[in-house]
Amino acid sequence: MKLSTRLTQIAEQIPAGSRLADIGSDHGLLPVYAVRQGLVTEAIAGEVNQGPLDAAQRQVDEAGLGHVIQPRLGNGLAVLEPGEVDVITIAGMGGALIVTILSEGIAKLAGVSRLILQPNVGEEFVRRWLLEQGWYLSSEQILEEDGRTYEILTADRLENAKQQNEELYRTRVLEGEQGLSVSLSVTELVQFGPYLLDEADPVFCEKWQQEILKLEKVKASVERSDNDESRLKAAALQQQIKLVKEVLACLPKDKL
């Protein structure tokens, strides 16, 4: 079985010997791969619609893994019982939806030690939820595949998560050339991603360069209206554009 680069990198975050729940399982590809690779001892493939569930069941049956992988129909974490799994993956949906799934199923997180989350958009919503709920963001990856950018956020339940998070999101100052500097508080670090900001690889830089173009287009559209609300929105967009430009300007030149 050959997985996409995105799913392969998600699988790499699964500790060996885990019991996995893959929510929104996309034909059960990840659970089948994880079992075959010896990463998980058993898995649940959760789907909210019957069609994808049937596809996941076929995948499991063809792999001969029905004794260790259970496709289940249900909304989000409703497919689980507390304590059934210790790792949950949720990939390929918006960050706001991932937060909703986690919030509505928070009782099902009992016994879960790791969350591996891959929002397609709205990554900052996921980081903020993890921080507010006392999960430690232990790693981040960013990749480009088939013309799209993906971020993979891995979070662990730690006894000293509060202390670890305080260190991770401590205000930091980026220094650029000609005296340029930008101070980043927890708000900005949640937006950019603390590890991704430190690494600042070409995919990260390209993502935020494209974000500037999107923000400028929205700002130009907003400025066509001259009411007070539009002026305030345009000013906020300009501040966001300025921030992103300053961050990029303070990164090492070989990263851009």
Side-chain angles (χ1 to χ4, degrees):
M1 170 182 286
K2 181 171 175 58
L3 286 187
S4 66
T5 302
R6 175 180 65 95
L7 287 179
T8 300
Q9 290 200 16
I10 291 171
E12 289 172 354
Q13 301 302 310
I14 301 172
S18 298
R19 296 170 301 153
L20 171 69
D22 185 34
I23 305 302
S25 196
D26 189 23
H27 298 77
L29 294 174
L30 182 61
V32 169
Y33 176 86
V35 169
R36 284 179 165 173
Q37 295 297 310
L39 295 172
V40 307
T41 58
E42 54 188 279
I44 295 164
E47 286 290 358
V48 70
N49 294 313
Q50 189 66 49
L53 180 77
D54 293 341
Q57 187 67 65
R58 286 193 298 271
Q59 186 78 239
V60 171
D61 291 343
E62 289 171 5
L65 295 174
H67 59 296
V68 288
I69 302 177
Q70 298 180 48
R72 294 182 185 174
L73 184 66
N75 186 18
L77 303 188
V79 299
L80 302 177
E81 294 298 327
E84 269 196 302
V85 299
D86 40 55
V87 175
I88 292 176
T89 52
I90 309 178
M93 56 190 81
L97 178 54
I98 289 175
V99 165
T100 297
I101 289 171
L102 292 170
S103 297
E104 291 181 349
I106 200 161
K108 305 297 182 70
L109 297 178
V112 175
S113 57
R114 172 163 287 194
L115 299 172
I116 306 166
L117 311 170
Q118 183 268 296
N120 286 345
V121 295
E123 298 87 357
E124 66 273 19
F125 298 128
V126 178
R127 289 191 190 94
R128 187 175 300 112
W129 186 90
L130 292 169
L131 181 59
E132 290 172 351
Q133 296 299 320
W135 288 80
Y136 175 61
L137 183 67
S138 54
S139 73
E140 300 175 307
Q141 287 81 39
I142 188 168
L143 68 143
E144 187 276 332
E145 186 172 37
D146 297 330
R148 296 194 63 176
T149 300
Y150 301 101
E151 295 182 15
I152 300 167
L153 313 179
T154 301
D156 292 314
R157 193 191 296 275
L158 302 178
E159 287 186 4
N160 64 341
K162 185 175 186 295
Q163 178 184 347
Q164 294 273 57
N165 277 325
E166 286 175 356
E167 182 61 31
L168 180 63
Y169 288 106
R170 187 185 303 277
T171 297
R172 64 186 73 176
V173 177
L174 298 181
E175 302 284 354
E177 297 178 350
Q178 299 177 339
L180 176 65
S181 68
V182 57
S183 177
L184 303 178
S185 68
V186 61
T187 300
E188 291 78 37
L189 293 173
V190 163
Q191 177 183 348
F192 289 98
Y195 299 104
L196 299 181
L197 191 61
D198 286 343
E199 183 65 25
D201 76 5
V203 177
F204 173 87
C205 296
E206 177 63 22
K207 170 190 172 172
W208 287 103
Q209 286 165 344
Q210 291 301 315
E211 188 65 21
I212 289 172
L213 298 179
K214 293 176 188 175
L215 290 168
E216 288 178 336
K217 182 178 289 188
V218 174
K219 177 172 171 283
S221 176
V222 168
E223 287 176 333
R224 295 193 185 103
S225 176
D226 196 35
N227 59 44
D228 290 343
E229 183 180 349
S230 295
R231 282 194 290 270
L232 288 172
K233 187 172 182 181
L237 287 164
Q238 183 56 43
Q239 281 297 109
Q240 181 63 22
I241 292 166
K242 179 175 179 288
L243 170 66
V244 177
K245 285 183 174 179
E246 288 177 347
V247 167
L248 290 177
C250 287
L251 297 177
K253 296 307 177 193
D254 61 346
K255 303 286 188 180
L256 301 177

